[in-house]
Amino acid sequence: DTYIFPMTSFGEMEYKRMYREARYASSPRKGGWETMRIYEIFASGSVPFVTDVDSIPEGALAFLDKVTLRRAMALEGVDGAQLQIE
């Protein structure tokens, strides 16, 4: 299990606070492409950093604007190597 926050109201608030304070948030693929994490990151005002966005199959993450996501990840100063991916 990779979830590091306690399963309490405080844990959920801390999880969301972490995303609110970030510009980008790592969203590595785990069990599949469909994950609420990507939408939670967007809802918090951050951009999900998906390292293999070009590998997302057609139809997966149907509500995700992949073109805009690619552009955001290609902005000057954005470097996926600086993200802590665990």
Side-chain angles (χ1 to χ4, degrees):
D1 189 19
T2 58
Y3 193 75
I4 61 170
F5 299 96
M7 300 299 275
T8 63
S9 294
F10 175 77
E12 183 177 354
M13 289 186 321
E14 181 63 15
Y15 173 76
K16 291 177 180 176
R17 181 205 57 79
M18 176 188 68
Y19 286 142
R20 279 194 314 273
E21 292 182 0
R23 291 187 183 136
Y24 287 82
S26 174
S27 186
R29 180 175 177 225
K30 293 184 181 179
W33 288 106
E34 298 298 332
T35 173
M36 285 301 297
R37 182 183 332 103
I38 289 176
Y39 299 106
E40 290 169 342
I41 292 169
F42 273 128
S44 296
S46 297
V47 175
F49 196 93
V50 182
T51 55
D52 48 356
V53 69
D54 293 323
S55 300
I56 298 173
E58 189 165 334
L61 296 170
F63 298 106
L64 180 66
D65 183 347
K66 296 167 194 84
V67 172
T68 301
L69 184 58
R70 280 188 204 93
R71 287 180 185 156
M73 293 188 327
L75 289 172
E76 185 176 339
V78 176
D79 181 5
Q82 294 178 354
L83 293 174
Q84 290 182 336
I85 301 174
E86 298 177 7

